[in-house]
Amino acid sequence: MKIKAAVTLHVGEEFKIEEITLQEPKANEVLVKIVATGVCHTDATVRDTGMTPLPAVLGHEGAGIVEKLGDNVSGVEVGDHVLLSFASCGTCESCHTGHPAYCERFMELNMGGKMEDHTHRLHLHDQELSTFFGQSSFGTYAIVHA
Ligand SMILES: [Zn+2]
Ligand SMILES: [Zn+2]
């Protein structure tokens, strides 16, 4: 689907509002209509350093409404009002013991630019755009892990 997003194309540049393509939610993922997002200094830092591979859609403090479920999703329904948090693997020891902030794959899943299956959900024309913190909330819609 076509969405609008504030895209970071190059290090240090202002966010640019672009029409981009968002893929359908895959297994264990949901589509969220973003209603609001914080703008945090972490977004500015990544924009100014390229810690996440650019181009990217930043934003990691999103809130919105679930619009569509991918396969295999339980515990989340269409219409749920949700807050988006950081990505975690759900299977490592830290995740299993209730400490997903210390997930062994934290840096990869949140800063690496790709979803858990190592693919992208966001494209600007033919160019892949990095996902940030498993959400990229600087867009009108986001694909996130359930
Ligand atoms: Zn933040
Ligand atoms: Zn983990």
Side-chain angles (χ1 to χ4, degrees), residues 32-143:
V32 175
K33 179 185 171 76
I34 299 292
V35 174
T37 181
V39 180
C40 171
H41 88 286
T42 304
D43 300 302
T45 299
V46 172
R47 177 196 63 192
D48 294 340
T49 61
M51 281 169 68
T52 289
L54 302 180
V57 177
L58 302 176
H60 63 283
E61 299 177 355
I65 302 166
V66 176
E67 285 218 343
K68 197 170 190 178
L69 308 180
D71 290 338
N72 207 29
V73 171
S74 59
V76 183
E77 302 288 343
V78 171
D80 281 354
H81 291 205
V82 292
L83 290 173
L84 309 183
S85 186
F86 53 82
S88 56
C89 79
T91 57
C92 72
E93 190 180 342
S94 294
C95 285
H96 265 311
T97 53
H99 302 289
Y102 299 101
C103 176
E104 288 171 5
R105 295 176 64 195
F106 189 92
M107 288 305 287
E108 171 205 339
L109 293 175
N110 290 284
M111 305 293 281
K114 296 175 183 173
M115 299 299 281
E116 198 172 3
D117 68 355
H118 307 291
T119 63
H120 292 83
R121 299 292 175 277
L122 299 160
H123 293 83
L124 174 61
H125 311 300
D126 292 336
Q127 196 172 18
E128 291 174 333
L129 298 173
S130 286
T131 289
F132 188 54
F133 266 76
Q135 55 179 279
S136 291
S137 62
F138 290 172
T140 49
Y141 289 84
I143 296 288

Side-chain angles (χ1 to χ4, degrees), residues 13-25:
E13 276 186 9
E14 287 187 13
F15 301 117
K16 266 190 148 173
I17 305 295
E18 301 272 5
E19 186 177 82
I20 65 170
T21 306
L22 180 66
Q23 288 183 337
E24 293 289 300

